[in-house]
Amino acid sequence: MVYQVYSKIQIKGELLVVRSLHVGGFGTSTNVDLPLAVNGQNQVCIPGTSLAGALRGWMYRVNPDVVDRLWGFQPDAKSPNSDRGHASRILIEDAPVQLKNSSGETPFMTPQQMEIRSGVGINRHSGAAADQCLYNRGVIPRGATLEFNLSVEIVDHQQEDTIKQAVDQLLLAMQLEEIRLGAAKSRGLGRVQLTKCQQLAPAETPTVAGVTPFRFNERQAMLAFLKHRSNPDSGFKAWTAPKQVHTLPQLTMKLYWQPVGPLMVKSELTGVAVDIMPLMGRVGQDETAFLLPGASIKGALRSHAERIIRTVLQQPLIHKNDIKQQIRLPLINTLFGLSADQKIESSSKWLPGLGALYIEDCFSQTRHTADALQQVSRVSQDNPEGLKKALADTKLTADQHETQLAYHVAVDRWTGGAAENFLYTNLEPFNLPWEPIEVTVNFDRFPKEDEDAEQEPLAGVALLLLLLRDMADRRIPLGYGTNRGLGTLTLTKVEFTPKGDVPGRLKALKKDSWKAKNQSLAFASLDKGLVSELNQVWSAWTDRHSQDTAKSEQESTDGE
């Protein structure tokens, strides 16, 4: 295919992994179910297709009219214009991942340097792991970087201004961390930020906000472009972001919290002297911190939200072993997401997929050596002094916080003594300061043509506020061992940040900071107009769905 190129935009920069990232690939490792993508040089990389898919998806949400022009399309074969399709005008290169080491160098990351995260689905009836729902995935750690190279070919000079504006908004969204990459985006992974953004421009071009295309009908621009081709590192200037920001409607909540007792998520790593280790993740060069994954937080909130919905709608838990049927509930599906199912018709008004609720990974504010857990795991069982020294050397024990070795045993009901092979130890962190938990509701993920289109976004916010109230009241523990005294926490403050055209009176939350009093969050401290609106919407939504539940039960009874 041959076409004329009127001008060209060329961008380069660096993508910083703000939170861990997973882009899947093919692997032969028996240690991980979902490995990372790797190139032919055994380097962990982000394929250009993954980058292009994420960028195109974001642009389709904010500016759908320009998507086909820039990203290409394939028309319907039955269309009279079936020969009008074209390839993408945007070229994005593969991006190998770089990870800074102790000497300050940034070599390319290998699969051996990935972190491993475990995931499990919980059967709502038994409270134990659901059948065939245990897995683990490799992730790129926080702080990694990858090169970003993007080229845009403009074939019609009349569309140049429109395309420039679209590219500027795309780059700005990447700078503001609004575009996520890879899998599990709503569970703490995939958050990246564009840094060191530069554009290819002639030396005499004045510095202005936005991208500056190379026009190939201008002699100086053509000579500068040819000079760049002979020296690829030359000709780049800093890109300046435009003032206009196109933000999708969303509500961000920062939850300031503190653990009441020991709180941890179980790591896959086991030791000799310690059987169960807390999960830790990389946070910087040669530093790690205790980690509470977004998936763990989201799972706990979803489970509690399901109990609320089943209570108010009087929906009993019928399916004892089918977890896919257990989690099908109105509002829960759109807020927390639902995996695709072949039983769902493609003509349905709402299709399963990514939920509206995003929850970030949460790290402790303490910092420890990169190989902290590995050092502790290597200590022999009969060397208590060696264990104390390892905890001190790795900064796992300090003045204001500490990790303790807790002994647990199952008791034989006949003898009253310790049961055989049931003595185990936990390395439990307590009294740690943690980062705030960041929760975001993306309102464009709610269905717009459904019967609940007007009520559901506000009903979702009302449900979240109920969850936060219960979390402040210590009713929602997080992490490992929540039935055995671990994971209890309380909220101290919630900060709200609405962005874009949010529904209802949610903009009133902009000036509010919801502070706990006597370890409780009171709705009376929020904007009175908003609370009244949320009460009305919640009552209307629950009344309508309660009627639907009663109707379906009656139809089931009549059928029998």
Side-chain angles (χ1 to χ4, degrees):
M1 181 179 65
V2 179
Y3 55 89
Q4 278 190 322
V5 177
Y6 170 73
S7 58
K8 186 173 184 178
I9 299 170
Q10 192 154 340
I11 300 292
K12 77 172 184 178
E14 186 176 270
L15 288 177
L16 172 67
V17 180
V18 180
R19 290 291 186 266
S20 302
L21 170 65
H22 173 87
V23 174
F26 175 77
T28 58
S29 172
T30 58
N31 297 325
V32 62
D33 300 312
L34 303 172
L36 295 171
V38 179
N39 61 18
Q41 295 178 295
N42 199 37
Q43 299 166 349
V44 175
C45 76
I46 309 300
T49 52
S50 296
L51 289 166
L55 302 187
R56 177 173 182 153
W58 180 89
M59 190 173 288
Y60 183 80
R61 293 162 64 192
V62 300
N63 194 2
D65 296 336
V66 77
V67 170
D68 286 349
R69 254 180 282 169
L70 278 177
W71 297 94
F73 67 100
Q74 183 174 351
D76 188 350
K78 298 180 181 179
S79 170
N81 298 322
S82 59
D83 60 340
R84 299 289 178 89
H86 63 81
S88 174
R89 309 295 190 207
I90 294 182
L91 171 66
I92 301 179
E93 298 181 11
D94 291 351
V97 180
Q98 294 177 290
L99 199 59
K100 187 175 289 188
N101 58 23
S102 56
S103 60
E105 300 173 341
T106 53
F108 292 112
M109 178 181 171
T110 62
Q112 290 72 29
Q113 294 174 290
M114 68 181 176
E115 295 180 349
I116 297 179
R117 301 275 186 91
S118 297
V120 62
I122 301 298
N123 185 303
R124 270 48 174 183
H125 179 77
S126 65
D131 187 33
Q132 299 182 359
C133 283
L134 176 65
Y135 64 94
N136 57 22
R137 72 167 85 236
V139 299
I140 299 167
R142 174 177 170 177
T145 58
L146 46 142
E147 291 185 1
F148 177 71
N149 292 283
L150 178 144
S151 300
V152 183
E153 296 176 339
I154 303 174
V155 299
D156 186 352
H157 70 279
Q158 294 181 347
Q159 299 178 0
E160 186 178 77
D161 290 340
T162 302
I163 293 175
K164 283 171 54 180
Q165 184 179 5
V167 174
D168 279 330
Q169 291 295 331
L170 183 70
L171 298 177
L172 183 57
M174 296 179 72
Q175 277 194 343
L176 298 176
E177 306 174 18
E178 292 187 0
I179 302 178
R180 295 175 181 251
L181 305 178
K185 293 186 286 290
S186 66
R187 289 175 283 168
L189 302 186
R191 186 171 171 180
V192 297
Q193 181 185 30
L194 177 62
T195 61
K196 303 178 183 179
C197 185
Q198 296 179 302
Q199 61 176 328
L200 185 63
E204 65 277 4
T205 303
T207 302
V208 294
V211 294
T212 303
F214 259 94
R215 294 193 178 95
F216 294 126
N217 61 349
E218 297 175 0
R219 183 174 181 274
Q220 293 298 327
M222 178 62 79
L223 291 175
F225 187 78
L226 293 175
K227 181 180 179 181
H228 160 74
R229 293 298 296 270
S230 62
N231 183 9
D233 293 329
S234 66
F236 282 96
K237 300 173 63 175
W239 172 79
T240 306
K243 294 183 179 180
Q244 184 180 2
V245 180
H246 190 111
T247 304
L248 292 168
Q250 58 184 224
L251 176 65
T252 300
M253 309 176 193
K254 273 192 174 181
L255 316 182
Y256 293 84
W257 64 286
Q258 58 189 25
V260 176
L263 186 146
M264 59 179 278
V265 170
K266 183 172 179 269
S267 170
E268 286 199 342
L269 182 66
T270 59
V272 179
V274 182
D275 297 305
I276 297 176
M277 313 276 278
L279 181 65
M280 301 184 77
R282 175 183 167 124
V283 291
Q285 181 180 337
D286 290 334
E287 286 187 328
T288 58
F290 293 102
L291 171 61
L292 192 58
S296 180
I297 303 171
K298 189 175 180 181
L301 292 180
R302 177 170 189 151
S303 179
H304 195 81
E306 288 174 3
R307 286 196 288 271
I308 292 175
I309 294 297
R310 288 193 181 277
T311 300
V312 297
L313 300 185
Q314 298 182 6
Q315 286 194 8
L317 185 61
I318 301 174
H319 304 278
K320 293 185 178 181
N321 298 315
D322 190 346
I323 187 173
K324 289 186 177 180
Q325 294 299 324
Q326 291 175 357
I327 63 176
R328 288 187 181 278
L329 286 169
L331 190 59
I332 299 295
N333 295 338
T334 50
L335 193 60
F336 290 91
L338 184 70
S339 61
D341 193 325
Q342 295 179 353
K343 298 178 182 179
I344 301 291
E345 297 181 1
S346 60
S347 59
S348 175
K349 293 180 180 179
W350 180 85
L351 295 177
L354 192 66
L357 188 68
Y358 284 44
I359 300 181
E360 305 292 347
D361 287 349
C362 183
F363 291 85
S364 68
Q365 295 180 13
T366 58
R367 296 294 180 261
H368 311 278
T369 58
D371 61 344
L373 293 184
Q374 285 77 7
Q375 288 190 43
V376 174
S377 68
R378 290 192 290 264
V379 178
S380 62
Q381 194 168 5
D382 56 351
N383 187 7
E385 293 301 321
L387 180 60
K388 289 181 180 180
K389 184 177 184 303
L391 292 175
D393 291 345
T394 56
K395 301 179 182 179
L396 291 174
T397 302
D399 295 335
Q400 301 300 322
H401 63 271
E402 193 171 353
T403 53
Q404 66 178 2
L405 189 63
Y407 292 85
H408 298 271
V409 63
V411 175
D412 188 297
R413 270 49 175 181
W414 176 255
T415 65
E420 188 176 2
N421 298 325
F422 276 89
L423 175 66
Y424 64 96
T425 54
N426 288 354
L427 189 63
E428 299 176 352
F430 62 95
N431 198 29
L432 296 181
W434 289 80
E435 296 176 350
I437 297 173
E438 190 170 331
V439 178
T440 302
V441 183
N442 294 284
F443 292 105
D444 67 315
R445 289 297 308 171
F446 285 91
K448 297 176 177 58
E449 298 179 358
D450 196 89
E451 296 174 350
D452 290 333
E454 295 184 3
Q455 292 183 348
E456 201 155 47
L458 290 176
V461 173
L463 178 58
L464 278 177
L465 295 182
L466 292 174
L467 292 175
L468 298 185
R469 180 202 63 185
D470 289 350
M471 185 178 285
D473 291 341
R474 305 185 183 185
R475 298 177 187 172
I476 307 179
L478 299 179
Y480 162 79
T482 56
N483 292 334
R484 286 167 285 176
L486 279 73
T488 305
L489 62 98
T490 184
L491 293 185
T492 57
K493 184 176 67 172
V494 180
E495 290 182 352
F496 300 96
T497 306
K499 296 179 182 179
D501 188 19
V502 294
R505 294 176 56 91
L506 291 178
K507 285 187 178 179
L509 291 172
K510 189 172 184 179
K511 299 179 181 179
D512 278 358
S513 180
W514 200 13
K515 295 182 180 179
K517 293 183 180 180
N518 299 323
Q519 298 179 348
S520 180
L521 292 172
F523 294 117
S525 61
L526 297 176
D527 179 79
K528 293 182 180 179
L530 173 63
V531 173
S532 176
E533 181 183 45
L534 292 177
N535 276 331
Q536 293 176 8
V537 170
W538 179 251
S539 297
W541 185 89
T542 53
D543 287 345
R544 194 176 77 77
H545 283 275
S546 295
Q547 294 172 3
D548 291 345
T549 301
K551 183 179 178 180
S552 62
E553 289 179 353
Q554 183 63 40
E555 291 176 351
S556 177
T557 303
D558 294 343
E560 294 176 358

